């Protein structure tokens, strides 16, 4: 429920190419955190992990680096 609402808010807040970067950063940070927690026996593979904090992290990083990310995405769109 809440993750979908937060994703919608990010989509309204960030322009199109940047929302994909925000979600990518969120997914990668969640995966790395999950691997770290499993490796150091703080969680198991079945332990639920909320995705909202990672969406917030991805949105914040994308917002702070928006000019650089837009430059990168425009470069790749031209190629």
């Amino acid at each position: 429920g809440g993750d979908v609402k937060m994703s919608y808010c990010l989509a309204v807040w960030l322009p199109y190419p940047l929302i994909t970067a925000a979600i990518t950063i969120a997914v990668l940070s969640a995966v790395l955190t999950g691997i770290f927690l499993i490796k150091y026996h703080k969680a198991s593979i079945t332990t639920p992990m909320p995705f909202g904090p990672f969406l917030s992290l991805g949105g914040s990083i994308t917002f702070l680096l928006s000019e650089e990310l837009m430059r990168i995405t425009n470069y790749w769109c031209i190629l």
Side-chain angles (χ1 to χ4, degrees):
D3 296 343
V4 174
K5 294 174 189 173
M6 186 176 287
S7 298
Y8 176 75
C9 289
L10 284 176
V12 170
W13 185 39
L14 297 169
Y16 163 66
L18 294 182
I19 188 61
T20 57
I23 293 174
T24 302
I25 292 169
V27 169
L28 290 177
S29 62
V31 166
L32 291 175
T33 302
I35 290 171
F36 177 82
L37 290 175
I38 291 169
K39 181 178 178 184
Y40 291 105
H41 305 289
K42 303 291 182 188
S44 70
I45 193 112
T46 59
T47 305
M49 192 167 54
F51 193 58
F54 299 107
L55 281 173
S56 298
L57 177 70
S60 299
I61 290 173
T62 303
F63 180 73
L64 292 174
L65 301 175
S66 59
E67 290 182 20
E68 186 64 30
L69 288 171
M70 283 298 282
R71 199 169 319 137
I72 292 169
T73 55
N74 286 336
Y75 173 74
W76 285 106
C77 290
I78 292 171
L79 296 178

